[in-house]
Amino acid sequence: MEHGEAAPPPPQAEEQAGEEDDFGYRLFPDRNKKPQSFLVRSLFTFHNRCQLMLRMTLETNPYAHLLLEAMKQSGCTVFNDRHFSCENCDGCVSGGFDAATSQIVLCQNNIRQQSHMNRVVTHELIHAFDHCRAHVDWFKNVKHLACSEIRAANLSGDCTLMNEISRFKFGLKAHHQTCVRDRAIRSILAVRKVSKETAEKAVDEVFDACFNDLEPFGRIPHSKTDAKRAYRDFQNRDRYNANL
């Protein structure tokens, strides 16, 4: 289970001899529950709000539009009812990508604003895109996980200046790269029972290559305007290639 935004785990969550790794599923307790009926789910405001915000993101957000189109062209069409699930999660996470089911989990108890939903959906769709286009070993190869977390933090808007100011982090040299590295490390620590040193080493070893892998955007979209331009360019790629 890969996830979007998470707080660093407590020290006891680090690598422990003989303790089986649950791959982050403890953060998503609803994953193992029997699905509730539509009538039962409709009674919960969190679920309704989550569904409405998800629909708004998929219909209006240019980041999501580009990723959905890119996945479709790669042979991985995304269906709302099949590939998204609004669920209650651990208090520290906003969303996750369940590689075992190719499903994006949206934490209905933690996502309260449309801008947050936009960012979480984008982050998790980047994981889904990586899962579609590459043979990612999510569960055994921490470098693969690190690479996708770097790309998700870099391209989703997680590290925009405004978001970092809201976290009281600004004014640093190479600020964007620092944010991407830190968030990738935190994400790994939240879903894998590894030491901080192991997570840092994995991120640092693949950072340059994965930070510079800008597919399918072709650029780092620092705003919706950038994302709209990237989406327009993506739609015109075939036309440009045909005219060469």
Side-chain angles (χ1 to χ4, degrees):
M1 172 72 73
E2 319 316 324
H3 80 101
E5 302 181 351
Q12 62 268 28
E14 294 190 354
E15 196 168 27
Q16 300 179 19
E19 184 176 352
E20 186 177 353
D21 196 335
D22 68 357
F23 304 110
Y25 279 91
R26 68 193 179 281
L27 304 176
F28 304 88
D30 282 1
R31 290 274 84 191
N32 296 321
K33 291 182 180 178
K34 183 179 180 180
Q36 296 174 320
S37 68
F38 175 79
L39 178 60
V40 173
R41 286 187 286 113
S42 67
L43 297 177
F44 291 91
T45 304
F46 280 169
H47 189 81
N48 287 342
R49 183 179 63 188
C50 177
Q51 290 285 353
L52 289 172
M53 287 195 294
L54 170 61
R55 185 182 305 168
M56 180 67 70
T57 295
L58 298 180
E59 290 179 355
T60 65
N61 186 262
Y63 291 84
H65 287 168
L66 195 158
L67 286 160
L68 292 171
E69 181 67 24
M71 290 188 66
K72 183 177 181 180
Q73 289 193 18
S74 297
C76 299
T77 300
V78 176
F79 298 98
N80 188 346
D81 293 340
R82 163 64 181 86
H83 294 106
F84 293 95
S85 179
C86 289
E87 301 177 9
N88 291 318
C89 307
D90 182 272
C92 72
V93 295
S94 301
F97 175 66
D98 188 347
T101 61
S102 298
Q103 193 168 48
I104 290 172
V105 181
L106 301 170
C107 298
Q108 60 193 21
N109 55 319
N110 295 330
I111 302 175
R112 298 181 176 87
Q113 296 179 336
Q114 187 64 51
S115 59
H116 190 189
M117 176 64 80
N118 293 344
R119 201 163 64 247
V120 173
V121 169
T122 300
H123 185 114
E124 304 309 334
L125 278 173
I126 292 170
H127 289 321
F129 175 74
D130 288 346
H131 185 68
C132 173
R133 70 168 180 156
H135 298 291
V136 182
D137 188 348
W138 298 103
F139 301 106
K140 295 181 180 179
N141 193 324
V142 69
K143 289 184 182 180
H144 286 192
L145 172 60
C147 187
S148 192
E149 291 294 356
I150 290 166
R151 282 177 30 78
N154 187 30
L155 300 173
S156 67
D158 287 348
C159 289
T160 62
L161 180 60
M162 291 306 298
N163 284 332
E164 282 294 270
I165 288 176
S166 70
R167 301 175 188 127
F168 302 101
K169 295 180 180 180
F170 43 87
L172 301 175
K173 186 177 180 180
H175 180 269
H176 183 77
Q177 289 90 331
T178 300
C179 171
V180 168
R181 179 181 181 274
D182 289 348
R183 294 185 71 79
I185 291 169
R186 290 175 61 194
S187 291
I188 294 171
L189 291 175
V191 297
R192 293 293 181 273
K193 292 184 184 298
V194 299
S195 66
K196 185 176 181 182
E197 291 72 21
T198 297
E200 289 175 338
K201 184 173 185 290
V203 168
D204 290 341
E205 286 183 354
V206 301
F207 188 86
D208 287 344
C210 299
F211 183 84
N212 291 309
D213 179 1
L214 305 179
E215 287 298 313
F217 291 90
R219 69 185 77 193
I220 299 175
H222 293 289
S223 65
K224 282 188 176 181
T225 299
D226 284 345
K228 288 178 181 178
R229 290 171 180 162
Y231 183 36
R232 184 172 61 248
D233 291 345
F234 181 85
Q235 290 176 308
N236 289 329
R237 282 184 185 181
D238 289 342
R239 183 186 309 168
Y240 294 152
N241 291 337
N243 290 334
L244 291 178

